[in-house]
Amino acid sequence: MAGKLYLCATPIGNLEDITMRALRILKEADLIAAEDTRNSIRLLNHFEIRTPLTSYHEYNKIEKAHQLAQKMKDGLTVALVTDAGTPGISDPGEELVRICYEEGIEVTSVPGASACITALTMSGQKTRRFAFEAFLPRDKKERAEVLEEIKNDTRTLVVYEAPHHLLHTLRDLHETLGERSVTFCREMTKKFEEKRRMTLSEGIVYYEANEPRGEFVLVIEGKSRSELKEEKQKSWDSISLEDHMKIYEEKGFDKKSAMKAVAKDRGISKREVYSQLLKPAHSQ
């Protein structure tokens, strides 16, 4: 019988947030793969779990994943844990999961705490649709590309950030996204849990005066649909109706369909498009 990979969520703060099932799996597993064994050993000692530990982190994620996969093919059961929260979310666990699928090894999840979902639900921002961006890239070019991609996203955005990078990230977000409402969450589920809801510019002022401490989850308001629609209409207003029509006609639209698309883009009726296109011909 082949073994199995269990993705075991661990507390993001309060130790009582671990599930009964997670405790059982961690005790019954043959091996626990941990992102940082120094952090995980404290959790395991607290719950008197004696299962052997091995390190699985960003710098050995491919080589070690193949080693772990072989152990599971030999029949061992492996429980994967991250420093806090659900493994496989913004950590090397995704590589181990991928390799397990390639090797035909069963993967299952032991759900529990997640910093992303915890912050989102108590942020006061819209929760029906959201995009998880994790940590923005450090590379300047890639970072600019990602920010450009998300600036018109109407979904609520969830971003992780370390305290020493917070102000730099807030300035980049404000410059690209403009003014937005943002909820700052830190120390979640702990004694000194903190949520601050303000605008991006207010956040910059606040954290310039108050040194950021602890890991942050930023829950950022998405762009409003009305603002996005207005911006699109303004961009179309910068070209003539004739050129606007050509764009669609060159894509293979017939004249009637092109007029309908142009009217929708500009927020006017098809009749208005038709009458305006006729004006130059009548004036000749």
Side-chain angles (χ1 to χ4, degrees):
M1 290 283 292
K4 184 188 294 188
L5 176 66
Y6 286 92
L7 306 174
C8 289
T10 53
I12 59 174
N14 194 314
L15 292 181
E16 293 178 2
D17 289 337
I18 198 164
T19 68
M20 298 296 289
R21 183 174 174 229
L23 290 174
R24 178 176 63 80
I25 296 299
L26 291 172
K27 287 177 182 177
E28 293 178 356
D30 296 301
L31 184 65
I32 296 173
E35 189 174 9
D36 188 332
T37 54
R38 295 167 299 179
N39 283 339
S40 296
I41 195 66
R42 288 195 288 269
L43 175 71
L44 299 181
N45 285 342
H46 180 83
F47 290 107
E48 299 181 350
I49 296 171
R50 306 295 178 223
T51 306
L53 265 178
T54 187
S55 64
Y56 178 73
H57 48 71
E58 183 65 28
Y59 302 104
N60 70 356
K61 63 184 179 182
I62 303 299
E63 179 187 358
K64 191 62 173 280
H66 285 290
Q67 293 175 14
L68 291 170
Q70 186 57 55
K71 290 181 184 296
M72 286 181 273
K73 289 171 82 171
D74 292 340
L76 296 186
T77 295
V78 175
L80 178 68
V81 296
T82 184
D83 284 351
T86 301
I89 300 293
S90 189
D91 71 29
E94 64 179 350
E95 293 294 343
L96 179 56
V97 172
R98 178 182 61 80
I99 288 169
C100 281
Y101 272 89
E102 291 175 356
E103 297 291 335
I105 297 164
E106 185 178 353
V107 178
T108 191
S109 179
V110 183
S114 166
C116 168
I117 299 300
T118 302
L120 178 67
T121 54
M122 65 182 182
S123 67
Q125 306 292 350
K126 293 180 179 178
T127 61
R128 190 179 71 84
R129 298 171 65 249
F130 68 94
F132 175 60
E133 286 295 328
F135 289 91
L136 293 174
R138 294 287 167 232
D139 177 78
K140 192 173 181 179
K141 183 180 178 182
E142 186 183 358
R143 186 183 182 91
E145 288 172 351
V146 169
L147 287 169
E148 191 64 26
E149 286 172 7
I150 65 175
K151 76 174 184 179
N152 289 325
D153 201 324
T154 58
R155 295 172 294 179
T156 299
L157 303 170
V158 182
V159 175
Y160 288 170
E161 194 50 276
H164 52 289
H165 290 304
L166 181 66
L167 272 170
H168 175 61
T169 293
L170 290 180
R171 292 179 183 124
D172 282 351
L173 287 167
H174 187 259
E175 182 180 346
T176 308
L177 273 58
E179 192 67 289
R180 301 277 184 92
S181 169
V182 55
T183 305
F184 297 83
C185 302
R186 56 181 291 275
E187 296 293 291
M188 291 183 294
T189 78
K190 298 179 183 178
K191 184 178 180 180
F192 298 107
E193 178 179 277
E194 181 178 85
K195 289 86 62 182
R196 292 184 181 276
R197 188 176 176 188
M198 55 187 92
T199 62
L200 282 170
S201 61
E202 289 170 342
I204 292 169
V205 172
Y206 179 83
Y207 288 108
E208 281 176 340
N210 300 272
E211 182 185 359
R213 295 186 178 182
E215 299 296 315
F216 283 81
V217 181
L218 312 180
V219 186
I220 307 161
E221 172 189 26
K223 189 159 194 169
S224 74
R225 290 184 180 278
S226 58
E227 185 182 356
L228 188 60
K229 185 178 179 181
E230 186 179 331
E231 287 181 2
K232 283 182 178 178
Q233 287 178 358
K234 282 181 180 177
S235 68
W236 288 122
D237 289 343
S238 64
I239 66 172
S240 69
L241 270 173
E242 289 78 10
D243 287 340
H244 198 161
M245 283 285 291
K246 283 179 185 176
I247 291 172
Y248 286 107
E249 288 172 338
E250 287 171 1
K251 289 180 179 179
F253 283 56
D254 59 44
K255 204 168 190 70
K256 186 177 179 181
S257 298
M259 282 197 292
K260 187 176 180 180
V262 168
K264 184 178 179 182
D265 287 343
R266 292 179 176 251
I268 58 179
S269 70
K270 197 168 68 172
R271 184 184 294 274
E272 285 181 81
V273 174
Y274 181 72
S275 63
Q276 288 186 48
L277 287 171
L278 283 177
K279 282 180 183 178
H282 288 163
S283 63
Q284 288 175 2

